[in-house]
Amino acid sequence: MQLGLSVSDSDVSSFTPLVVLELADDTKAEAITWLLNRIRDKQQNGGAELLVNQLLFPAQDDQKPNPNVFVVGSTLQRLLNGAEDVGLFKEFQDGTMRGFTYANRESFNDFNGDGEGFLSDAECQYIIKHELDTLRAKNEEHVPGYPKLKLYPGKSVVRRLQSKGVLNQYFPLHNKEDLKRLSFSWYKKFKLSFQPLDDIRHYFGEGLALYFGFLEYFTFALVPMALIGIPYYLFDWEDYDKYVLFAVFNLVWSTVFLEVWKRCSATLAYGWGTLSRKKAFEEPRAGFHGALGFNPVTGREEPVYPSSKRQLRIYLVSVPFVLLCLYLSFYVMMVYFDMEFWAINIYNEDPSIATSILLFVPSIIYAVVIEIMNLLYRFAAEFLTDWENHRLESSFQNHLVLKVLVFNFVNCFASLFYIAFVMQDMVLLRQSLATLLITSQILNQVMEAFLPYWLQRRRNKKVHKRMRRLMGDKELPLLGQVKLETEMNTYLGTFDDYLEQFLLFGYVSLFSCVYPLAAVLVVLNNITEVYSDAFKMCHVFKRPFSEPATNIGVWQLAFETMSIIAVVTNCALIGLSPQVKAYFPESDTQLILIVVAIEHVLLAFKFILAFVIPDVPKHIQVNLAKLEFDSLEAFKKRRRALGR
Amino acid sequence: MQLGLSVSDSDVSSFTPLVVLELADDTKAEAITWLLNRIRDKQQNGGAELLVNQLLFPAQDDQKPNPNVFVVGSTLQRLLNGAEDVGLFKEFQDGTMRGFTYANRESFNDFNGDGEGFLSDAECQYIIKHELDTLRAKNEEHVPGYPKLKLYPGKSVVRRLQSKGVLNQYFPLHNKEDLKRLSFSWYKKFKLSFQPLDDIRHYFGEGLALYFGFLEYFTFALVPMALIGIPYYLFDWEDYDKYVLFAVFNLVWSTVFLEVWKRCSATLAYGWGTLSRKKAFEEPRAGFHGALGFNPVTGREEPVYPSSKRQLRIYLVSVPFVLLCLYLSFYVMMVYFDMEFWAINIYNEDPSIATSILLFVPSIIYAVVIEIMNLLYRFAAEFLTDWENHRLESSFQNHLVLKVLVFNFVNCFASLFYIAFVMQDMVLLRQSLATLLITSQILNQVMEAFLPYWLQRRRNKKVHKRMRRLMGDKELPLLGQVKLETEMNTYLGTFDDYLEQFLLFGYVSLFSCVYPLAAVLVVLNNITEVYSDAFKMCHVFKRPFSEPATNIGVWQLAFETMSIIAVVTNCALIGLSPQVKAYFPESDTQLILIVVAIEHVLLAFKFILAFVIPDVPKHIQVNLAKLEFDSLEAFKKRRRALGR
């Protein structure tokens, strides 16, 4: 075995390793041979035509290393063809973004010589992932050596191996040089500057870069609100007209910034070439199962699962489960209020420093419980959504997001709604809001970055020590790196990050006219959030595959819905405030009618604003129209040339 | 001249005339020669490659006939190529709709032999229109004989001639055989049946067929409301809970039917091949003017008009003008109320049959005045929108629709809103609603169909007599037909027809819980509307060019907005009703809060419903995805075949 080490290491150096494939360590030899052959085979034979090599780790006394770890790379030519396959958009010589074609490669900016450096690492890895994912079974009836791992023509080999646990994982390797440069410009220099979004996109892909773009944009958008909110806190302004002003500003502002974000994200996506890129045909997700049938679109053989069965599962199991969880959340909320009253009673009986601290304890406990419930529910939601057996990853994601959003919204804000509109206690509302917000921020930062980082560091040290012991002075950077990264946690996508921002946006906007300082807290949180998120991406998690994204997807809708709910809550809060009530001493009716009228006007204004502000900036519209026009003209010309 | 007649008539018979071109009768001979040459010229020389012939009408003693009338036709081969040019979708052999290509012509259903009968008349005429519209100037600097009619390379010749009044009009000819068959199946047989939408589309194109489809759908959708509304009228039901039931049903129903209409229109448009058809690049409208510059999209020379100037015109002139008109409309409304009080006073002083009839007079006068104001405003809006100098016909249309909609909405419904929410007089509201609705229905039918029909008949008779006198027994059907149709009125598009339905929808939905019988009246109106609209299309107006349409466009939005406003008004009306008030004797506050809560729930429900119901039926989604997938696969295969 010791011999294998040096052999594999010299082999590996023949190409740049980009992606790591880890098979289960008891995988049968014939399955491995078959898989490697299929990966290496020429494209015209239905192979992926990629380079692949085994990595052999030195054996250890206490633990046998997994012998089935492989690195995958590719020739430049293959990658360029792959770029055309996946429909990558690149900057053309006239400055517009166009679909890359190998035949026209010379006409693209940044294409020099043989095209070295034309594709970023992340793009190369994305292409390799695509080629691996679309490596399809030919006439094999099952995976060699595994009669139970059935295959049928057209089935993605990698997905089948993955769903049956033969393929443990595959992930892209970090590029140490680039990572160093990126992390320096991203979070290591302590000066005020924008994030290097283009570099982030280069290294992690568009999906993640858009998240960081949104985080930055959102934070900047909150600054005006925070600035206006500070004097309210400093001078203890309690006049209703000032609150009304603040609330109206808040509502209009949140509409405007969400609309303008669409334009920003379109600009970013255009510059990154994802805006006009055609969506590839979506394959079934790895976990999808069903009786073998025919896909009506492709006509290929594929598992088919009747959507009526899925609907039954959704409406008879998932929906009742969600409702049950919501009920549970309400129940916990009522327990919290009992605790709250109990604490207040103790304080009233014996007002001292100890009991005044006790006043905050229920809120803090409740905040922690909320976080724990959110976490538990998250697992249940994932399990249920998986069980619903959605064919597409996108539909799986949508159902998951919906489940999680509804619960988190209720779980986080129910107590605030209760305090605001049932108890109508504005002082308690302000206090609860502050406690919930601050506690959840602290918890989040700990759970999200520091805890994983600490665990990771411990693991790193162990691995380093082990490797050093085994290999002595011999430097084997690749083996060490692969070993380390294999054991890192997997980044599960931007879901949790967006969810956190969504809830923060709720804290800021829903009750903004009661607690203008919320915006300040969120701005402060987000400044550290940028750093901790950046750090966790670079050093805590495995590098994720880049994901082409045009916009923030369903989250745009979620934020817009929140801003609509905020109009309703803020109008109601203003109507409830004693100062406003004092203006209409003789009749509540008139007050309510005016508040409702204002609310309707604000809502109508929001919709008109959303309608009037174009989603894509003018100059990008022109560029897109140009592309469309050119392709139409080219099509006509080609047809005419074919002689009619 | 008499000689010319027979010559031209024998010439004409050499091809089927499809489109008539009428130039001004003083057009210079060299311009005519040039135009005809350009139309007849081969495509590779930049011509339209169409057939064109002059029609010579016999001279008359009292009136010199216009010598410059031409008929245009085409060879079958040219039309098939043109079908590919305009991107026509036809049914492929596998049952899906695909873009027609001449090379694959044999693979399309209904293509037999040389393709005779493959294209409908309307399609042929649409293709000829397209080819005429895209006949572009080459190096001519001006129209021969007209130094002032400047041309530049790429300028559409026909549009220039049209905008300067050299080309009076061009329109498609009716096909007497088809028209006879269509009108028989459409409105001549008096039995209950659906309209022959496919035949209408065949003859008049997709835009008009969609209007008639919508008219039919809307009428059927109102039937349940009408059925439920009848017992309220018969039994004088005045219980509030019944009204609430009716209103809720009404609101939910209107949301559902608008959503389902989207699916129906998608199904229709898919079957007609317009759903997945790519929009052609939009040329500037005929009236658009500006300094010569370059189009940023095409790079071609084209007039350019700065959008800042247009914005100034819109905000400094159009918007104030619209506001002024709205003010005027309010003023007229107040005058109406004065009249109304005056009539009531007279009745109260001396109650007799004469004075009880007098009670209805102000409403009727007001209804007539409203119609007249709408008509006048319509002209002003068209003039203003034209003056705003929009580059695209679509943007012109949108601005016109917006202007007209806002004014008509206010003009028609302001008095009802005033009665309902300021005067809070439900009896008067019901009476006014009925009077307005019935009067405007009667006026509409008269203005829209009977008056033009009567004028047309008079004109027809005159022409017939004249022709008979001149030619004696000689039958010259073509000359007679062209003469007749040249003098028919031009159909100005579906705008007015949709507008009428929009206002009717407003009468039904806005105050539905006060006057459930409105739905019955609208259903009755629409049944005659189908017949009168069908009749006017077939016999009163010139045949319009077919217009490819995917959906009813901006009207969908207009109807949806109306149904949202209806939620607000109906909730408010129910809250105002004395029976509901009686339920909350001690506090208005509680009542209002409950009404507002219900309103919010209904609105939320509407949005969720709109979100949940997919806009395109499943099987069409599958077909569209299939098309997309096939084109992607074909593209890949082609690339692979090209040897990479």
Side-chain angles (χ1 to χ4, degrees):
Chain A
M1 269 305 193
Q2 286 295 57
L3 193 110
L5 173 74
S6 53
V7 168
S8 73
D9 210 52
S10 68
D11 271 7
V12 161
S13 60
S14 67
F15 64 85
T16 319
L18 288 168
V19 171
V20 175
L21 274 178
E22 190 193 36
L23 300 176
D25 53 7
D26 57 353
T27 311
K28 299 212 171 112
E30 50 193 308
I32 296 178
T33 321
W34 168 77
L35 179 64
L36 296 187
N37 278 339
R38 288 302 315 275
I39 293 178
R40 286 181 184 133
D41 204 1
K42 288 240 165 80
Q43 275 195 289
Q44 58 240 48
N45 304 332
E49 213 170 331
L50 297 174
L51 309 172
V52 58
N53 258 324
Q54 193 161 17
L55 280 192
L56 290 178
F57 294 97
Q60 287 164 287
D61 17 56
D62 52 337
Q63 213 185 330
K64 226 185 118 206
N66 184 351
N68 298 324
V69 178
F70 303 87
V71 284
V72 184
S74 171
T75 61
L76 187 59
Q77 162 79 23
R78 176 77 189 88
L79 285 173
L80 290 174
N81 285 331
E84 195 177 338
D85 273 344
V86 300
L88 232 50
F89 267 61
K90 286 285 189 180
E91 197 183 326
F92 202 62
Q93 55 195 6
D94 65 352
T96 60
M97 305 297 297
R98 303 204 172 211
F100 175 75
T101 54
Y102 189 71
N104 296 333
R105 60 190 180 282
E106 306 285 355
S107 307
F108 284 84
N109 287 345
D110 309 324
F111 195 100
N112 305 314
D114 57 354
E116 186 74 48
F118 180 66
L119 299 170
S120 74
D121 260 22
E123 280 166 343
C124 294
Q125 289 165 338
Y126 175 75
I127 291 165
I128 289 181
K129 176 177 193 288
H130 176 262
E131 300 296 344
L132 286 177
D133 279 349
T134 54
L135 181 65
R136 293 176 193 290
K138 292 190 292 189
N139 299 318
E140 302 94 338
E141 299 211 323
H142 57 81
V143 177
Y146 292 86
K148 277 190 180 165
L149 285 191
K150 294 265 179 286
L151 287 174
Y152 47 86
K155 172 72 189 172
S156 160
V157 168
V158 165
R159 300 228 169 177
R160 173 47 42 97
L161 293 176
Q162 212 175 3
S163 68
K164 296 295 179 180
V166 177
L167 177 62
N168 282 348
Q169 57 176 348
Y170 64 123
F171 62 90
L173 271 175
H174 270 298
N175 180 324
K176 294 212 160 176
E177 285 289 303
D178 289 356
L179 186 61
K180 216 175 199 168
R181 225 172 303 133
L182 173 66
S183 51
F184 182 75
S185 68
W186 199 359
Y187 63 88
K188 280 203 176 144
K189 50 173 186 192
F190 281 96
K191 58 169 188 172
L192 257 169
S193 66
F194 293 102
Q195 294 175 80
L197 288 185
D198 284 329
D199 298 343
I200 300 172
R201 176 241 164 182
H202 235 263
Y203 195 83
F204 287 113
E206 291 82 15
L208 214 76
L210 263 181
Y211 164 68
F212 281 100
F214 178 73
L215 180 59
E216 181 174 293
Y217 175 85
F218 180 50
T219 310
F220 275 106
L222 285 177
V223 167
M225 282 199 223
L227 288 181
I228 298 177
I230 289 176
Y232 282 83
Y233 179 73
L234 290 182
F235 306 126
D236 259 336
W237 284 349
E238 298 271 344
D239 315 337
Y240 99 96
D241 43 353
K242 293 215 182 69
Y243 273 102
V244 170
L245 261 186
F246 183 74
V248 169
F249 169 75
N250 200 333
L251 298 176
V252 174
W253 177 237
S254 69
T255 308
V256 171
F257 97 69
L258 284 176
E259 283 303 310
V260 174
W261 164 251
K262 278 194 219 156
R263 295 166 65 89
C264 291
S265 95
T267 311
L268 287 175
Y270 179 77
W272 297 338
T274 49
L275 191 62
S276 35
R277 185 166 161 191
K278 266 197 185 164
K279 261 201 194 151
F281 180 74
E282 221 179 329
E283 300 275 328
R285 39 190 314 260
F288 178 67
H289 53 84
L292 212 57
F294 287 93
N295 182 316
V297 173
T298 60
R300 287 185 194 144
E301 246 183 333
E302 195 183 285
V304 173
Y305 189 77
S307 80
S308 58
K309 268 196 195 172
R310 187 178 306 125
Q311 300 290 335
L312 278 183
R313 287 185 173 189
I314 292 176
Y315 289 109
L316 294 186
V317 180
S318 298
V319 172
F321 175 79
V322 172
L323 292 177
L324 189 78
C325 290
L326 292 181
Y327 174 77
L328 207 74
S329 154
F330 277 111
Y331 187 81
V332 170
M333 181 187 83
M334 295 319 290
V335 172
Y336 154 66
F337 283 116
D338 285 347
M339 274 167 56
E340 189 79 45
F341 288 125
W342 169 77
I344 290 175
N345 278 340
I346 290 184
Y347 175 78
N348 286 345
E349 277 169 22
D350 165 29
S352 70
I353 299 178
T355 50
S356 79
I357 292 175
L358 190 68
L359 277 182
F360 283 90
V361 171
S363 289
I364 293 175
I365 293 180
Y366 184 51
V368 174
V369 170
I370 283 180
E371 289 292 319
I372 294 172
M373 282 171 70
N374 281 348
L375 215 69
L376 290 180
Y377 178 82
R378 179 72 198 278
F379 284 112
E382 257 171 49
F383 174 81
L384 265 184
T385 317
D386 193 51
W387 178 73
E388 282 164 18
N389 198 17
H390 292 276
R391 190 179 156 267
L392 298 181
E393 184 65 28
S394 58
S395 121
F396 172 85
Q397 285 297 339
N398 285 343
H399 280 258
L400 182 62
V401 168
L402 188 66
K403 279 196 195 71
V404 175
L405 269 193
V406 169
F407 182 78
N408 279 37
F409 182 84
V410 170
N411 204 19
C412 292
F413 299 121
S415 67
L416 299 176
F417 274 90
Y418 190 83
I419 297 172
F421 300 113
V422 180
M423 296 163 63
Q424 305 198 0
D425 182 343
M426 294 303 138
V427 179
L428 182 59
L429 177 59
R430 201 169 301 174
Q431 184 201 313
S432 296
L433 184 57
T435 323
L436 273 181
L437 182 54
I438 294 171
T439 319
S440 81
Q441 282 181 4
I442 294 174
L443 276 181
N444 250 317
Q445 301 268 9
V446 171
M447 297 284 292
E448 209 189 333
F450 297 112
L451 193 72
Y453 173 63
W454 179 74
L455 290 174
Q456 187 56 44
R457 252 181 89 131
R458 266 193 16 181
R459 217 179 293 142
N460 278 10
K461 272 195 192 143
K462 229 193 281 173
V463 172
H464 267 294
K465 220 189 285 168
R466 227 193 290 151
M467 295 302 277
R468 185 125 349 119
R469 202 175 49 218
L470 276 168
M471 296 183 252
D473 302 328
K474 250 205 284 177
E475 270 282 319
L476 279 174
L478 181 64
L479 278 185
Q481 190 193 349
V482 171
K483 187 85 193 159
L484 262 178
E485 293 187 14
T486 315
E487 293 185 3
M488 275 174 154
N489 286 330
T490 304
Y491 178 67
L492 293 172
T494 47
F495 185 102
D496 287 299
D497 299 313
Y498 278 119
L499 183 62
E500 192 190 336
Q501 295 302 317
F502 171 75
L503 295 176
L504 289 179
F505 181 58
Y507 285 117
V508 172
S509 58
L510 287 180
F511 307 97
S512 63
C513 62
V514 171
Y515 190 54
L517 207 63
V520 182
L521 290 177
V522 172
V523 168
L524 290 179
N525 174 73
N526 276 3
I527 290 173
T528 59
E529 180 85 21
V530 169
Y531 287 99
S532 68
D533 278 355
F535 181 78
K536 94 180 172 196
M537 287 318 305
C538 292
H539 293 287
V540 177
F541 288 116
K542 279 191 194 89
R543 182 175 187 177
F545 277 111
S546 106
E547 220 168 314
T550 323
N551 49 48
I552 62 173
V554 65
W555 294 103
Q556 182 80 35
L557 192 68
F559 275 80
E560 281 167 10
T561 311
M562 182 70 96
S563 83
I564 288 171
I565 299 174
V567 172
V568 181
T569 54
N570 278 298
C571 285
L573 279 177
I574 288 172
L576 282 173
S577 73
Q579 295 98 327
V580 175
K581 274 187 177 159
Y583 263 66
F584 300 89
E586 73 284 356
S587 102
D588 269 358
T589 318
Q590 216 184 337
L591 164 65
I592 298 179
L593 285 181
I594 288 177
V595 169
V596 169
I598 291 175
E599 186 224 338
H600 279 74
V601 170
L602 279 175
L603 283 177
F605 184 68
K606 268 180 84 74
F607 279 101
I608 292 172
L609 213 60
F611 193 77
V612 166
I613 300 177
D615 287 356
V616 177
K618 187 78 189 253
H619 69 279
I620 291 181
Q621 277 178 26
V622 168
N623 276 344
L624 292 180
K626 206 182 202 163
L627 201 67
E628 189 89 354
F629 178 77
D630 284 359
S631 87
L632 219 70
E633 289 292 295
F635 181 68
K636 270 192 201 151
K637 216 178 275 172
R638 195 163 60 230
R639 243 186 37 227
R640 245 160 236 176
L642 284 177
R644 19 181 275 177
Chain B
M1 267 307 194
Q2 288 293 58
L3 194 111
L5 172 76
S6 55
V7 168
S8 72
D9 210 53
S10 69
D11 272 6
V12 160
S13 60
S14 66
F15 63 86
T16 320
L18 289 167
V19 171
V20 175
L21 275 178
E22 190 194 35
L23 300 177
D25 54 7
D26 57 352
T27 312
K28 299 212 172 111
E30 49 192 309
I32 296 178
T33 321
W34 168 77
L35 179 64
L36 295 187
N37 279 338
R38 288 301 316 274
I39 292 178
R40 286 183 185 132
D41 205 0
K42 287 240 167 82
Q43 274 195 291
Q44 59 241 46
N45 303 333
E49 212 170 331
L50 297 173
L51 309 172
V52 57
N53 258 324
Q54 193 162 16
L55 281 191
L56 290 178
F57 293 96
Q60 288 165 286
D61 16 56
D62 51 338
Q63 211 184 330
K64 227 186 112 202
N66 184 352
N68 300 324
V69 178
F70 303 87
V71 284
V72 184
S74 170
T75 62
L76 187 59
Q77 163 78 24
R78 177 75 189 90
L79 285 173
L80 290 174
N81 284 331
E84 196 176 337
D85 273 345
V86 299
L88 230 51
F89 268 61
K90 286 285 189 178
E91 196 182 326
F92 202 64
Q93 55 195 7
D94 66 352
T96 60
M97 304 297 299
R98 301 201 174 213
F100 175 75
T101 55
Y102 189 71
N104 295 333
R105 59 191 182 281
E106 305 285 354
S107 308
F108 284 83
N109 287 344
D110 308 324
F111 194 100
N112 305 316
D114 56 353
E116 186 72 46
F118 180 66
L119 299 170
S120 73
D121 259 23
E123 281 165 343
C124 294
Q125 289 165 339
Y126 175 75
I127 291 165
I128 289 181
K129 176 175 193 291
H130 175 263
E131 300 297 343
L132 286 177
D133 280 348
T134 55
L135 180 66
R136 294 177 192 292
K138 290 190 292 190
N139 299 320
E140 301 94 338
E141 299 209 325
H142 58 82
V143 175
Y146 293 87
K148 279 191 178 165
L149 286 191
K150 293 264 178 286
L151 288 173
Y152 48 86
K155 172 70 188 172
S156 160
V157 168
V158 166
R159 299 227 170 178
R160 173 48 41 99
L161 293 176
Q162 212 175 4
S163 68
K164 296 296 178 181
V166 176
L167 177 62
N168 282 348
Q169 58 176 348
Y170 62 123
F171 62 89
L173 271 174
H174 270 297
N175 181 324
K176 294 213 159 177
E177 285 289 302
D178 291 355
L179 186 62
K180 216 175 200 169
R181 226 174 300 132
L182 173 66
S183 51
F184 181 76
S185 69
W186 199 358
Y187 63 90
K188 282 207 174 141
K189 51 174 184 191
F190 281 98
K191 56 168 189 172
L192 258 168
S193 67
F194 294 104
Q195 293 175 81
L197 287 185
D198 283 328
D199 297 343
I200 300 173
R201 176 239 164 187
H202 235 263
Y203 196 82
F204 287 114
E206 292 82 16
L208 213 75
L210 264 181
Y211 163 69
F212 281 100
F214 179 74
L215 180 59
E216 180 174 294
Y217 176 85
F218 179 51
T219 309
F220 276 106
L222 285 178
V223 167
M225 282 199 222
L227 288 181
I228 299 177
I230 289 175
Y232 282 82
Y233 179 74
L234 291 181
F235 306 127
D236 258 336
W237 284 350
E238 297 271 343
D239 315 337
Y240 99 97
D241 43 353
K242 293 214 181 71
Y243 273 102
V244 170
L245 262 186
F246 183 74
V248 169
F249 168 76
N250 200 331
L251 298 175
V252 173
W253 178 236
S254 69
T255 309
V256 171
F257 96 69
L258 285 176
E259 283 303 310
V260 173
W261 164 250
K262 279 193 217 157
R263 295 166 66 89
C264 290
S265 95
T267 310
L268 287 176
Y270 178 76
W272 296 338
T274 49
L275 191 63
S276 35
R277 185 166 161 190
K278 266 197 186 165
K279 262 201 195 149
F281 180 74
E282 222 179 328
E283 300 274 328
R285 42 190 311 263
F288 178 67
H289 53 85
L292 213 57
F294 286 93
N295 181 316
V297 173
T298 60
R300 288 187 195 144
E301 243 182 335
E302 194 183 286
V304 173
Y305 189 77
S307 79
S308 59
K309 267 198 197 170
R310 188 177 305 125
Q311 300 289 334
L312 277 184
R313 288 185 172 190
I314 293 176
Y315 290 109
L316 294 187
V317 180
S318 296
V319 172
F321 175 79
V322 173
L323 293 178
L324 189 78
C325 289
L326 292 181
Y327 174 76
L328 206 73
S329 154
F330 277 112
Y331 188 80
V332 169
M333 180 186 82
M334 296 318 289
V335 171
Y336 154 65
F337 283 117
D338 285 347
M339 273 166 60
E340 188 79 43
F341 288 126
W342 169 76
I344 291 174
N345 278 341
I346 290 184
Y347 175 77
N348 287 344
E349 277 169 22
D350 165 31
S352 68
I353 299 178
T355 50
S356 78
I357 292 175
L358 190 68
L359 277 182
F360 283 91
V361 170
S363 289
I364 293 175
I365 292 180
Y366 184 51
V368 174
V369 170
I370 283 180
E371 289 292 318
I372 293 172
M373 282 170 71
N374 281 347
L375 215 69
L376 290 180
Y377 178 82
R378 179 70 199 278
F379 284 113
E382 257 171 50
F383 175 81
L384 265 183
T385 317
D386 194 51
W387 178 72
E388 281 165 19
N389 199 15
H390 293 275
R391 189 178 157 268
L392 298 180
E393 184 63 29
S394 59
S395 121
F396 172 85
Q397 286 296 338
N398 285 341
H399 279 258
L400 180 63
V401 168
L402 189 66
K403 277 197 197 70
V404 174
L405 271 192
V406 168
F407 181 78
N408 279 37
F409 182 84
V410 170
N411 203 20
C412 291
F413 299 121
S415 67
L416 298 176
F417 274 91
Y418 190 83
I419 297 173
F421 300 115
V422 180
M423 296 162 64
Q424 305 197 0
D425 182 344
M426 294 304 138
V427 179
L428 182 58
L429 177 60
R430 202 169 301 175
Q431 185 202 314
S432 295
L433 185 57
T435 323
L436 273 181
L437 182 54
I438 294 171
T439 319
S440 80
Q441 282 182 3
I442 293 173
L443 276 181
N444 250 316
Q445 300 269 10
V446 171
M447 297 284 293
E448 208 186 333
F450 296 111
L451 192 72
Y453 173 62
W454 180 73
L455 290 173
Q456 188 55 43
R457 251 181 88 133
R458 265 194 17 180
R459 216 179 294 142
N460 278 11
K461 271 194 196 147
K462 228 193 281 172
V463 172
H464 266 294
K465 220 190 287 171
R466 223 192 293 150
M467 295 302 277
R468 184 122 354 116
R469 202 175 48 218
L470 275 168
M471 297 183 252
D473 302 328
K474 250 205 283 177
E475 269 282 318
L476 280 173
L478 181 65
L479 277 185
Q481 189 192 351
V482 171
K483 187 83 194 161
L484 263 179
E485 293 187 14
T486 315
E487 293 187 2
M488 275 173 155
N489 286 329
T490 305
Y491 179 66
L492 293 171
T494 47
F495 186 101
D496 287 298
D497 298 314
Y498 278 119
L499 183 62
E500 192 190 336
Q501 295 302 315
F502 172 75
L503 295 176
L504 289 179
F505 181 58
Y507 285 118
V508 172
S509 59
L510 287 180
F511 307 97
S512 64
C513 62
V514 171
Y515 190 56
L517 207 64
V520 181
L521 289 177
V522 172
V523 167
L524 291 180
N525 174 72
N526 276 4
I527 290 174
T528 59
E529 180 86 20
V530 168
Y531 287 99
S532 68
D533 278 356
F535 181 78
K536 91 178 174 200
M537 287 318 305
C538 293
H539 292 288
V540 177
F541 288 116
K542 277 191 195 93
R543 184 177 185 172
F545 276 112
S546 110
E547 220 169 313
T550 324
N551 48 47
I552 61 172
V554 66
W555 293 102
Q556 182 81 36
L557 191 69
F559 275 80
E560 281 167 10
T561 310
M562 181 71 95
S563 83
I564 289 171
I565 299 173
V567 172
V568 181
T569 53
N570 278 296
C571 285
L573 280 177
I574 289 173
L576 282 174
S577 73
Q579 293 100 326
V580 176
K581 273 187 178 157
Y583 263 66
F584 300 91
E586 74 284 356
S587 101
D588 268 358
T589 318
Q590 215 182 339
L591 164 66
I592 298 178
L593 285 180
I594 288 179
V595 169
V596 170
I598 291 176
E599 186 222 339
H600 279 75
V601 170
L602 278 175
L603 283 178
F605 184 67
K606 266 180 85 73
F607 280 102
I608 293 173
L609 213 61
F611 193 77
V612 166
I613 301 177
D615 287 356
V616 177
K618 187 76 189 256
H619 69 279
I620 290 180
Q621 277 179 27
V622 168
N623 276 343
L624 292 180
K626 204 182 202 163
L627 201 68
E628 189 90 352
F629 178 78
D630 283 0
S631 87
L632 219 70
E633 288 293 294
F635 181 68
K636 271 192 199 153
K637 215 177 274 170
R638 194 164 61 230
R639 245 185 37 229
R640 244 160 236 175
L642 285 176
R644 21 181 276 182

